[in-house]
Every structure is written in C-alpha cells, then in structure tokens.
Amino acid sequence: MSSCSDTLWINARLATCDAANPAPYGALLDHALWLRDGHIHAILPQQQAQAEFAARGTVIDARGAWITPGFIDCHTHLVYGGNRAAEWEKRLNGVPYQQIAAEGGGILSTVRATRRLDEDELALASLPRLKALMKEGVTTVEIKSGYGLTLADELKQLRAAKRLAAALPVEVATTLLAAHALPPEFAGDADAYIDHVCEVILPAAAQEGLAEAVDVFCEGVGFSVAQSRRVFAAAHAHGLRCKGHVEQLSNLHGAALVAECGGLSADHIEYLDQDGVAALAAAGTVAVLLPGAYYFLRETRQPPVAALRAAGVTMAVASDLNPGTSPFASIRLAMNQACVLFGLTPEEALYGTTRAAAAALGRGHSHGRLAAGMVADLLLWDIEHPAEIVYGLGTNPLAQRVFRGVIQHID
C-alpha cells in the first residue's frame, strides 16, 4: 500500500478517543475510515463512504476489528547504556541505596555505561527496547537524554534517538534532560552545573535542532525550584517547551513552576497537593502518571488521581522506560498498572496513551485521535471490547500497526 494513495478501512469498530464524541471510548460503529496521504481524510457512515470512495484507491476489510489511534509513550529514557539488574538484586537483598550509590551504583553507573558507547553503539543497544514498544502499538515516543551529563554525551544521546526515528516507522519526540543528576565533574556545585546546562548544553542542543523540549528533575535529590526555573528560562529563550519530573519523592511545588512556565507536562506527581492540582488545571498542563516507577520502587504514595479528575486535569500514562526505576518496555503494562495501582478506568488509560499523551508532547492538534485531519497512525485490535487492550498481559491482541497510513510489520 502506498501512503500517497487513498485507502478505505471498512467493517471496523472505531474507538476514536475523540472528546467530541461522548460515547465510551469515543466509539463509532458502522463507520469507515478514509485515509489519504498519511492522514485521516474523513470518517463517514460506511455505506456513504463506500459510495463516495468508489474506485479511488484500496479498500481494506478490517473484519470487525477495533481500531484505535496509535499509542503515544510520552515519557521514556530508552536511550542508555548498560543495565542495573545487579543493583536491583542488591536492593532486594537489603543493601541500602546509599551504600549502592557509594559503591558506584545508581544513576551515575548508567551515566558511565552511556558515556562508554559511541552514537552507533548507543542506538544499537536501544533498538530492542524501542521495537518492543512498537510491537505493542506505540507509534510516537518521547525519548529523553540525561545519562550523558556532558555536552558531547547529552548530544550523543539525542542524536542516537534521532537515528532510531530515521531507521524505524515511528515518530520520536526528543527532550533534553541534562538537568537529571549532578555529574561527578561538578560534584558539590550544582549551581555551576546548571550554569553549564543553561549556557552550553541547552543552546547547543537547540542550535542543532536535537530537542523540542527541556526537562528537569526538580527534587531534593535532583535540582531545586530556583535552579529548575533557570533551566526553563533558558529553554524559553531558545524556543523550546518545558516539562518536569516533579513531586515524585517530595513536594517542592515543582508542578506549579511547570504550570507557571506554560509547561507541557508535570510528570510523576505522587506528592502533588491541591494547590498543584489547581495550578495544572488553570494552565492546561498535562499530568503524566508513571506507575512503572511507583511499582518498581515499591512506593506507597499515590498521585492524587481523584483530585486531578475532579479538577479536569488531563491525565496521560507513560512507561517511564529507564534502567533504574522502570525497566519496562511495555506501554500496555503501564496502562494496566495505572488502572490497578492508581484507580484509572480502562477508558482513561486508553485516553492516557492517545489524546492525553499527544497533548503532553504538544501534538494534540495532530495525534492521538481518530478524526479528520489527524495523522493516520492506527492500531487494529483482535478484541471484542476496548477494555481488553488494558486487561490482559502476556499475549498481544494487536493485529495491525499502521503508521502514516501504511501497514507496518515490526520484526
């Protein structure tokens, strides 16, 4: 099938995930999906669509499958070197994290492993993780830096992410997370490192077009609100959007800062308070839930889902794929965890990985819904009800993955 020809999908059940459709899942039955040039040209009642389509192009029988928008994983760290399985085993055997870090473990062990790889090696090491996400239906993925912490290594991570996008049928949104941890070269002087991020790393990433957003780990073990504000100001000066790792381990009011700065998303937010909820609601900033890290770290403080829901805050769900706290290349696992651990409904989880995740990446106008004019990233599911996508793990009911209107097969 050519992406530049017209294609009509018939005999499908559509879960449009479109807020304009009040039906559960935005469902449309007896409708056909008309694709043209990699976009959705129209959604029409099936008989009308077949009459208007005539012999314009290819007709594909979905044979009763449910069609959803392609999944969007809006928070990952999937480009990195090494792994931390041995460190995880130590933690399970009772070794304190402080001791592990003192012995060279923790995030800086991933930094060392990532720095040792060149760009080719880094992309190759990351390829299986990205393919795993794609096999579950991910068509757009955010990839952060943050394991280089030098100019050369942060740019290397972002270039490796861009290389993956060029090699596979997937859209990649790159985010600069140089303010992820304090590198050993700046030990004891976080302000000097933030100067380096704002004056050297961030401008270089912007000049090369390697990042579209900037993230900060605003936390007691990361960077302060004042330091985060400086990074966001530098991001704005270079035309980049902002987002934040905030309120994961404590409440520093980082989410309110993200909202104040017009940020795309506030991520983690287990310790978010009511003022933070109100700030996100007022700014239209997306709350990104990351249940994989909550599960893997055996946390007990849940994000305030009921308060977010009541305030009308858009809630996205993402894998947080990373080697230290969420080593899961599975968007469906994240959706299931969001329901079981955080109390989302299956419908909210599906919206969280489609239209809400699109908004978290600044793509709400083009991705995440089945509607005329949207990018034709589609998933066909061999299921009887959309809740099955979230319900059962271990098997994969994904029948077809369509990227930009073209059926794709992932090896």
Side-chain angles (χ1 to χ4, degrees):
M1 182 197 333
S2 169
S3 62
C4 62
S5 66
D6 284 18
T7 305
L8 189 70
W9 288 86
I10 62 172
N11 296 326
R13 293 172 282 182
L14 307 181
T16 67
C17 299
D18 191 347
N21 183 342
Y25 300 95
L28 283 177
L29 306 180
D30 301 316
H31 279 65
L33 201 57
W34 186 336
L35 310 184
R36 174 182 292 170
D37 296 332
H39 289 75
I40 298 172
H41 174 63
I43 298 176
L44 299 169
Q46 183 154 303
Q47 286 189 342
Q48 176 186 348
Q50 288 178 294
E52 293 187 16
F53 191 78
R56 293 175 183 268
T58 303
V59 176
I60 301 178
D61 189 345
R63 301 181 183 276
W66 277 93
I67 297 182
T68 70
F71 287 156
I72 300 168
D73 195 346
C74 64
H75 183 129
T76 86
H77 306 250
L78 73 80
V79 171
Y80 60 84
N83 70 70
R84 282 148 64 184
E87 172 187 318
W88 177 62
E89 184 179 34
K90 286 182 179 180
R91 289 209 316 268
L92 293 178
N93 282 317
V95 180
Y97 179 78
Q98 292 84 350
Q99 179 180 336
I100 292 171
E103 294 172 351
I107 188 172
L108 292 183
S109 67
T110 300
V111 170
R112 288 193 299 273
T114 301
R115 289 180 176 182
R116 282 195 293 266
L117 300 180
D118 64 25
E119 185 180 321
D120 292 340
E121 293 168 330
L122 193 53
L124 188 61
S126 305
L127 190 63
R129 296 187 281 267
L130 181 53
K131 284 187 174 182
L133 289 175
M134 294 168 66
K135 287 178 180 178
E136 287 197 347
V138 170
T139 52
T140 299
V141 60
E142 188 247 23
I143 300 177
K144 303 179 190 292
S145 65
Y147 291 125
L149 310 184
T150 67
L151 173 62
D153 290 303
E154 285 291 297
L155 299 188
K156 177 181 68 178
Q157 274 193 275
L158 295 172
R159 291 190 192 106
K162 293 279 191 182
R163 179 170 295 193
L164 292 172
L168 294 170
V170 65
E171 182 170 338
V172 172
T174 46
T175 297
L176 177 69
L177 181 56
H180 191 196
L182 190 62
E185 295 86 355
F186 287 85
D189 198 349
D191 282 328
Y193 180 60
I194 291 299
D195 288 342
H196 184 63
V197 170
C198 294
E199 297 170 8
V200 179
I201 299 178
L202 194 156
Q207 183 176 3
E208 287 195 38
L210 290 175
E212 58 189 68
V214 172
D215 199 345
V216 177
F217 185 31
C218 181
E219 188 54 76
V221 296
F223 298 95
S224 69
V225 170
Q227 290 163 342
S228 300
R229 185 185 297 277
R230 290 170 55 200
V231 175
F232 290 158
H236 281 304
H238 289 277
L240 302 178
R241 301 296 300 270
C242 300
K243 52 179 58 187
H245 284 62
V246 294
E247 272 75 272
Q248 181 183 9
L249 306 172
S250 63
N251 184 12
L252 296 186
H253 308 291
L257 173 65
V258 174
E260 175 191 330
C261 295
L264 289 168
S265 68
D267 302 29
H268 286 290
I269 61 169
E270 281 87 339
Y271 283 80
L272 185 71
D273 61 14
Q274 191 58 48
D275 288 343
V277 171
L280 297 183
T285 298
V286 177
V288 178
L289 307 180
L290 304 171
Y294 173 92
Y295 161 82
F296 197 70
L297 293 174
R298 296 190 289 187
E299 296 286 355
T300 57
R301 177 71 173 250
Q302 298 177 1
V305 166
L308 292 165
R309 188 186 286 133
V313 175
T314 298
M315 292 184 288
V317 176
S319 71
D320 193 18
L321 171 57
N322 76 79
T325 63
S326 187
F328 309 120
S330 174
I331 192 67
R332 291 180 61 230
L333 174 60
M335 296 165 76
N336 181 277
Q337 290 172 329
C339 294
V340 174
L341 301 177
F342 292 167
L344 267 64
T345 67
E347 185 177 9
E348 287 175 322
L350 184 60
Y351 293 161
T353 54
T354 54
R355 75 186 194 204
L361 296 182
R363 286 165 165 76
H365 63 288
S366 57
H367 293 65
R369 294 177 288 127
L370 302 183
M374 305 298 283
V375 168
D377 292 346
L378 321 170
L379 307 175
L380 276 74
W381 300 94
D382 185 14
I383 55 176
E384 288 302 317
H385 190 281
E388 294 177 46
I389 299 170
V390 184
Y391 160 73
L393 303 175
T395 58
N396 190 355
L398 181 62
Q400 299 279 7
R401 178 183 180 277
V402 178
F403 181 73
R404 298 296 189 273
V406 180
I407 297 173
Q408 302 288 345
H409 302 282
I410 308 302
D411 296 327

